[in-house]
């Protein structure tokens, strides 16, 4: 998910150095206080109970949601202390009693979310997550990673990938119709690829010309700099009335308002970015043009399987930067300052 977040530069300070763990111990990056640097600790490797599996982490993506978790700046806060990370990929190394959905040795992903469940639990938020060498998971809700995808390639797809894929589905745009992607960075560069794979015509919208150029290379049919005067009017002119669907990944209230203005009559504007605050809705235009505005939050297990299948077929690939777990605080500072052009993945083979 794409969200706006700030963290102090003090996060550049790490509190321990990584050494080889003692037997039955693991390394983990732990949030002990909101808004403070994560501490690199040696923790007990958890033991799976009935209906649980133990996963040895191979890779874990870093998402803006992790910044919000570390800051505790959402209305529902994680319980301290906790281990963030919800884009974890790894091998099942132990299973609890009653587990039949997976077996030891299977490669799975942590975040196969069922977000419409009123009692949903979220790895890296309500449960310890993937910024650790091992984690516990519910086998009924893990993603099964297709052969041919490396852990590093798969990690961003189980949050950023499914979020954008589901969001595009929620626009209800049909092949041959126009979809506008507002914000073509970490989430948006995946959205462009999914939209093209789904047969849609794509308008990429961003304030960064470099990201727009990359979106064009990924297949975007039209690009628009959101800072340009009358960007929404220009998009409507070039598309013959506006986008049938608009997906807003940018964590910006300005982008939200602008995105609604890019939708054509009977169009649908889907919000997946999560900036703080509220944005004004032009009620007359929304009502008179029969525009639908809806939120979309990650996706279901079915959405996850479909999103991964596109990647396994070679139609979608995340731009990734590999970093070790020990670099997590530096990565967080860069994320907070908008200095990560795509997706950072913690590679546990790197230490």
């Amino acid at each position: 998910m794409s969200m706006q977040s700030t963290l102090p530069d003090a996060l550049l300070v790490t509190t321990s150095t990584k050494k080889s763990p003692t037997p039955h111990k693991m390394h983990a990056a732990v949030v002990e206080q909101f808004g403070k640097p994560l501490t690199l600790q040696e923790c007990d490797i958890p033991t799976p109970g009935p209906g649980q599996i133990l996963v040895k982490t191979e890779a874990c993506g870093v998402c803006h949601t992790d910044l919000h978790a570390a800051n505790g700046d959402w209305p529902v806060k994680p319980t301290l202390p906790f281990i963030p990370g919800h884009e974890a990929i790894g091998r099942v190394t132990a299973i609890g009693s009653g587990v039949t959905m997976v077996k030891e040795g299977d490669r799975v992903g942590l975040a196969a979310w069922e977000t419409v469940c009123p009692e949903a639990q979220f790895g890296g938020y309500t449960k310890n997550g993937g910024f650790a060498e091992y984690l516990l998971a519910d086998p009924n809700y893990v993603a099964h990673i297709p052969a041919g995808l490396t852990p590093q390639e798969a990690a961003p797809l189980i949050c950023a990938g499914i979020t954008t894929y589901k969001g595009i589905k929620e626009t209800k745009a049909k092949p041959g119709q126009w979809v506008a992607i507002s914000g073509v960075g970490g989430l948006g560069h995946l959205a462009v690829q999914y939209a093209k794979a789904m047969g849609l015509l794509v308008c990429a919208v961003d304030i960064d010309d470099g990201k727009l150029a990359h979106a064009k290379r990924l297949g975007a049919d039209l690009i628009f700099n959101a800072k340009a005067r009358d960007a929404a009017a220009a998009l409507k002119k070039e598309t013959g009335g506006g986008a049938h669907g608009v997906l807003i990944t940018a964590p910006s209230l300005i982008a939200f308002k602008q995105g609604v203005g890019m939708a054509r009559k009977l169009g649908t504007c889907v919000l997946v970015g999560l900036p703080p605050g509220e944005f004004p809705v032009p009620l007359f235009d929304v009502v008179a043009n029969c525009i639908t505005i809806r939120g979309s939050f990650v996706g279901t297990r079915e959405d996850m399987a479909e999103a991964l299948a596109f990647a396994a077929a070679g139609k979608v690939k995340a731009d990734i930067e590999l970093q070790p777990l020990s670099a997590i605080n530096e990565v967080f500072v860069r994320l907070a300052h908008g200095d990560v052009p795509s997706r950072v993945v913690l590679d546990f083979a790197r230490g």
Side-chain angles (χ1 to χ4, degrees):
M1 291 170 284
S2 177
M3 302 146 215
Q4 191 177 63
S5 182
T6 57
L7 283 177
D9 288 341
L11 278 178
L12 284 168
V13 179
T14 57
T15 56
S16 67
T17 57
K18 187 177 183 221
K19 302 176 183 178
S20 296
T22 56
H24 311 298
K25 297 285 186 177
M26 67 177 184
H27 291 125
V30 182
V31 177
E32 294 187 306
Q33 298 182 59
F34 292 127
K36 300 295 184 181
L38 278 66
T39 61
L40 299 176
Q41 299 181 10
E42 192 175 86
C43 307
D44 292 331
I45 296 176
T47 300
Q52 292 182 319
I53 58 174
L54 180 67
V55 178
K56 181 175 174 57
T57 310
E58 297 175 288
C60 186
V62 183
C63 178
H64 276 86
T65 298
D66 299 315
L67 288 178
H68 287 282
N71 270 346
D73 60 9
W74 278 352
V76 179
K77 304 179 189 301
T79 300
L80 296 170
F82 72 99
I83 301 170
H86 59 276
E87 293 184 349
I89 306 291
R91 295 282 189 183
V92 178
T93 59
I95 61 175
S97 62
V99 173
T100 59
M101 297 283 293
V102 301
K103 62 183 183 301
E104 290 187 24
D106 285 355
R107 176 170 282 154
V108 298
L110 174 62
W113 303 42
E114 290 289 340
T115 53
V116 296
C117 174
E119 299 178 357
Q121 298 292 313
F122 303 105
Y125 206 92
T126 62
K127 301 289 185 181
N128 282 333
F131 290 2
E133 292 175 315
Y134 290 86
L135 67 142
L136 295 175
D138 184 333
N140 296 304
Y141 295 96
V142 294
H144 296 265
I145 307 304
L149 285 180
T150 69
Q152 295 77 15
E153 291 170 334
L157 301 178
I158 62 172
C159 177
I162 184 178
T163 295
T164 53
Y165 172 67
K166 175 66 168 181
I168 293 169
K169 287 175 66 175
E170 289 294 315
T171 69
K172 309 302 181 183
K174 298 181 175 66
Q177 294 184 333
W178 285 101
V179 63
I181 311 295
S182 177
V184 290
L187 270 72
H189 87 285
L190 290 170
V192 170
Q193 296 176 68
Y194 277 115
K196 293 304 296 183
M198 296 161 73
L200 299 168
L201 299 172
V202 177
C203 299
V205 183
D206 206 289
I207 61 174
D208 186 321
D209 286 332
K211 292 179 180 178
L212 288 171
H214 186 48
K216 188 71 173 177
R217 291 191 293 271
L218 292 173
D221 300 279
L222 298 172
I223 58 174
F224 299 89
N225 191 307
K227 286 185 174 180
R229 184 177 180 181
D230 295 330
L235 185 147
K236 283 188 170 182
K237 179 180 179 181
E238 292 293 324
T239 58
H244 299 83
V246 180
L247 179 69
I248 304 177
T249 75
S252 163
L253 295 177
I254 295 174
F256 277 38
K257 182 178 179 180
Q258 185 183 59
V260 174
M262 292 178 173
R264 69 172 57 206
K265 290 179 181 289
L266 298 173
T268 298
C269 186
V270 176
L271 318 178
V272 298
L274 276 176
E278 302 175 355
F279 79 102
V281 175
L283 292 176
F284 181 85
D285 291 340
V286 169
V287 173
N289 295 315
C290 301
I291 294 171
T292 299
I293 301 174
R294 64 162 53 103
S296 181
F297 188 54
V298 200
T300 66
R301 287 168 286 185
E302 180 180 2
D303 298 320
M304 176 68 75
E306 293 171 357
L308 288 171
F310 275 111
K315 297 180 180 180
V316 175
K317 185 174 183 179
D319 296 332
I320 59 175
E321 171 192 334
L322 299 179
Q323 291 288 347
L325 177 64
S326 57
I328 185 58
N329 286 314
E330 289 88 344
V331 171
F332 266 19
V333 171
R334 289 175 53 206
L335 269 180
H337 288 89
D339 191 27
V340 176
S342 51
R343 304 294 290 188
V344 170
V345 174
L346 301 178
D347 184 359
F348 282 75
R350 294 188 171 211

